Amino acid sequence: MKKHNYSAGPCILPQEVFEKSAQAILNFNNSGLSILEISHRSKDFVAVMDEARALALELLGLEGKGYQALFLHGGASLEFLMIPYNLMKVEGKAAYLDTGTWANSAIKEAKHFGETVVVASSKAENYNHIPKGYVVPSDADYFHCTSNNTIFGTQMKEFPSLEIPMVCDMSSDIFSRTLDFSKFDLIYAGAQKNMGPAGTTLVVVKEEILGKSGRNIPNMLDYVQHIEKESMYNTPAVFPVYASLLTLQWLKNLGGIAAIEKVNEAKANLLYTEIDRNPLFKGAAVAEFRSNMNATFLLNDETHAPIFDKLWKEAGISGLPGHRSVGGYRASMYNALPLESVQVLVDVMKELESKI
Amino acid sequence: MKKHNYSAGPCILPQEVFEKSAQAILNFNNSGLSILEISHRSKDFVAVMDEARALALELLGLEGKGYQALFLHGGASLEFLMIPYNLMKVEGKAAYLDTGTWANSAIKEAKHFGETVVVASSKAENYNHIPKGYVVPSDADYFHCTSNNTIFGTQMKEFPSLEIPMVCDMSSDIFSRTLDFSKFDLIYAGAQKNMGPAGTTLVVVKEEILGKSGRNIPNMLDYVQHIEKESMYNTPAVFPVYASLLTLQWLKNLGGIAAIEKVNEAKANLLYTEIDRNPLFKGAAVAEFRSNMNATFLLNDETHAPIFDKLWKEAGISGLPGHRSVGGYRASMYNALPLESVQVLVDVMKELESKI
């Protein structure tokens, strides 16, 4: 039976990425060797890394604007500490917007390095919205925000205009919507949502903001070192980088971010319309801040859960249970999830209504 | 044509690892989903991580001896800094044995954290041997060594007995030879030699040595955090961990480290015997310290290189050129390289002799 994978991440990727990457494990570029056994310094893999870095910048519209793209180890969680290490001055401070669990983890890690000002938080309302009207101190070394909050299903629809560097964790919505990415000085994203499988992290950084923290940075945590070594400071995660390249190529062939944004809007509209229409359900996040990537919703009457769970499982849906912090359901609709899968879920929600 | 892959890493893995991992990308455990799209919190992947951790300890003979196995991000290069962060006291010091490029990188990273005593170095002789007779200061917080030096083709045949914690980078020979692994308090290894594809790093640590550095350790760099979260502090590199598990299962089925050690000795004996016998070649490393994993050798007359290079390429050999620091040739004979491939190389060396 066809599966409809709503997993929050790692998550569905394009079918052609599965097919091409499985083939590369058996025979990469007709070399007679597996992509798992080739040197990262081989011509074929250097070409993969170079293309992946260039394509990331191209898709974001950041070519020739002073940015470098890196595919690093460690997940977004390693960036939580690399960012203050590289950007927070020794006696300086940083400003953070607290919009969810991951923003909070980034804040905790920054506190190991110095003064960390939380400009606003929606924690008291279980992160069901994005704070507004906050003031970012103009003497902070940088401002950090999280564009999409996977767990709570909220998404920043606008970003402040600042004189200080703006850093954004886009792990769960990068490459999903058009933005003026040149507003940001550092963007990072764990691969395992819209970019590829788990195991690599994209960092896009404006070079001019680096080298100013005055800290004694270990080489492996120093963005300058990674840039100098063209994202090969040490052996990169070869297969995750390759599968990420395949995913970025798929996106480019579709028409890039502008094209996928329309699909993502259609999927989100379809599902949110049903959540709002169907008397059995309610959305978890404040409507104005609803994420187009992760729709969080609840049954108005929890006793309907067993029958709803049975229905969606029978329809081939997986990965729908909500995170324990919110409960209910979470439909993650990343780039590779087809509109058809959302229709299947909406049909199940209607079917539940007809049965109650 | 059959390929004989002598790549120094990433390197050859067992054929069944390629086949099973390619299959898992198309359909993992008959779930109808790819291993690239499942949650790392899914029951199926938690089972992979648990088995990989347990099997690593089992193969090393360290079960029930107070050790924890972790599959982390970042490569050995991240361990270069995690080790001093976790083990070097704030006003303490660490002792390092300098046996090659990677040992040297570990030393450079440790210097960011405090006093780093180099107890001995073979750098002046281009790392062609392992120093002997060095003294490890008994007041150091730990002693760090590198069991096998991939670039120079040397291998530590004995290890000191110390009262302080002993840390060993076994990236290029872990799981290749029997050792009393309980002599070590922390063992680490990038996966991409004998354990799996690039993208994950095994850390085996004796829990009792942790929590004593007095440092303010960022969570993501804190071994205690990774142990508490059962190697899932953040999303692990799902596919590299899975392929590593397949490789460890292959090794167990072969009979474990003792069984592969015999194969590795046979391969090394075959090649070194030819290097010593054949008047056209000479070994690069001092014989006593020759590595069973990476054999470095040179032509006595460089003008024979074009014909030798032609011959081994025609025989289906790849990855044989030496590292630029040594020149000549390097035959990396990791666990998955069959004896047959070494015979092909030896035959080519004999053929060269017959043609000169």
Side-chain angles (χ1 to χ4, degrees), chain B residues 27 46 72 112 139 185 212 298 301 303:
Chain B
N27 185 357
V46 170
L72 303 183
H112 287 277
D139 61 341
D185 299 88
K212 298 175 179 172
L298 306 157
D301 179 348
T303 65

Side-chain angles (χ1 to χ4, degrees), chain A residues 4-8 312 316-322 329-332, chain B residues 33 39:
Chain A
H4 304 285
N5 182 5
Y6 280 96
S7 177
W312 61 257
I317 289 171
S318 67
L320 202 65
Y329 302 93
R330 172 173 53 174
S332 295
Chain B
L33 295 171
S39 171

Side-chain angles (χ1 to χ4, degrees), chain B residues 56-176:
Chain B
L57 291 183
E58 179 189 332
L59 288 164
L60 297 171
L62 293 177
E63 296 158 297
K65 293 185 177 168
Y67 290 82
Q68 291 276 353
L70 301 167
F71 285 83
L72 303 183
H73 290 280
S77 294
L78 191 62
E79 300 313 310
F80 293 167
L81 69 102
M82 285 180 72
I83 287 159
Y85 234 138
N86 282 267
L87 302 182
M88 196 195 293
K89 292 193 175 69
V90 174
E91 293 289 321
K93 67 179 176 188
Y96 279 72
L97 182 62
D98 179 22
T99 57
T101 304
W102 298 109
N104 204 265
S105 292
I107 290 165
K108 281 185 188 150
E109 215 68 318
K111 284 181 175 169
H112 287 277
F113 295 86
E115 188 184 347
T116 304
V117 180
V118 178
V119 298
S121 173
S122 48
K123 190 170 186 175
E125 295 80 32
N126 200 31
Y127 297 120
N128 69 353
H129 68 285
I130 306 287
K132 281 184 175 179
Y134 51 84
V135 176
V136 176
S138 58
D139 61 341
D141 294 323
Y142 63 90
F143 169 67
H144 179 283
C145 57
T146 311
S147 58
N148 186 77
N149 301 282
T150 326
I151 291 174
F152 302 94
T154 63
Q155 190 170 30
M156 291 180 77
K157 305 297 179 181
E158 46 194 47
F159 296 86
S161 291
L162 303 171
E163 299 295 313
I164 61 172
M166 184 154 64
V167 176
C168 189
D169 177 357
M170 294 194 186
S171 289
S172 55
D173 70 352
I174 197 164
F175 300 122
S176 75

Side-chain angles (χ1 to χ4, degrees), chain A residues 38-187:
Chain A
I38 61 164
S39 170
H40 59 293
R41 303 281 180 200
S42 63
K43 199 174 51 136
D44 279 6
F45 184 73
V46 170
V48 166
M49 179 61 91
D50 289 350
E51 186 181 346
R53 296 177 67 204
L55 191 46
L57 291 182
E58 179 189 332
L59 288 165
L60 296 170
L62 292 177
E63 297 158 296
K65 293 185 177 170
Y67 290 83
Q68 291 276 353
L70 301 167
F71 284 84
L72 302 183
H73 291 279
S77 294
L78 191 62
E79 300 313 311
F80 292 167
L81 69 102
M82 284 179 73
I83 287 158
Y85 233 138
N86 282 267
L87 302 182
M88 195 195 291
K89 293 194 175 68
V90 175
E91 293 289 322
K93 67 179 175 188
Y96 279 72
L97 181 62
D98 179 22
T99 57
T101 304
W102 298 110
N104 204 265
S105 292
I107 290 165
K108 280 186 190 151
E109 215 67 318
K111 285 181 175 169
H112 287 278
F113 295 86
E115 188 183 347
T116 304
V117 180
V118 178
V119 298
S121 173
S122 47
K123 189 170 186 175
E125 294 79 35
N126 201 29
Y127 296 120
N128 70 352
H129 68 286
I130 307 286
K132 281 183 173 178
Y134 51 85
V135 176
V136 177
S138 59
D139 61 343
D141 295 322
Y142 63 89
F143 169 68
H144 179 284
C145 57
T146 311
S147 58
N148 186 76
N149 300 284
T150 325
I151 291 175
F152 302 94
T154 63
Q155 190 170 32
M156 291 180 76
K157 306 297 180 182
E158 46 194 47
F159 296 86
S161 292
L162 302 171
E163 299 295 313
I164 62 172
M166 184 153 65
V167 175
C168 189
D169 178 356
M170 293 195 187
S171 288
S172 56
D173 70 352
I174 196 163
F175 300 121
S176 75
R177 58 170 169 166
T178 54
L179 283 174
D180 177 3
F181 294 100
S182 70
K183 281 189 76 165
F184 303 91
D185 299 88
L186 193 153
I187 295 166

Side-chain angles (χ1 to χ4, degrees), chain A residues 33 37-39 42, chain B residues 3-12 150-151 271 274-275 281-282 284 293-299 302 304-334 337 341-350 352:
Chain A
L33 294 171
E37 65 176 325
I38 61 164
S39 170
S42 63
Chain B
K3 291 280 184 177
H4 304 286
N5 182 4
Y6 280 96
S7 177
C11 68
I12 187 169
T150 326
I151 291 174
L271 182 55
E274 178 62 15
I275 290 170
F281 294 97
K282 62 181 176 198
M293 292 286 100
N294 315 92
T296 46
F297 58 103
L298 306 157
L299 280 163
E302 280 286 337
H304 298 146
I307 178 168
F308 181 55
D309 294 350
K310 184 165 173 288
L311 288 174
W312 59 258
K313 284 175 189 168
E314 283 172 359
I317 288 170
S318 67
L320 202 64
H323 190 276
R324 64 184 178 280
S325 314
V326 179
Y329 302 93
R330 172 173 52 174
S332 295
M333 300 174 285
Y334 296 117
L337 187 86
S341 290
V342 181
Q343 189 61 57
V344 169
L345 173 57
V346 166
D347 290 346
V348 167
M349 293 165 76
K350 289 182 197 290
L352 180 71

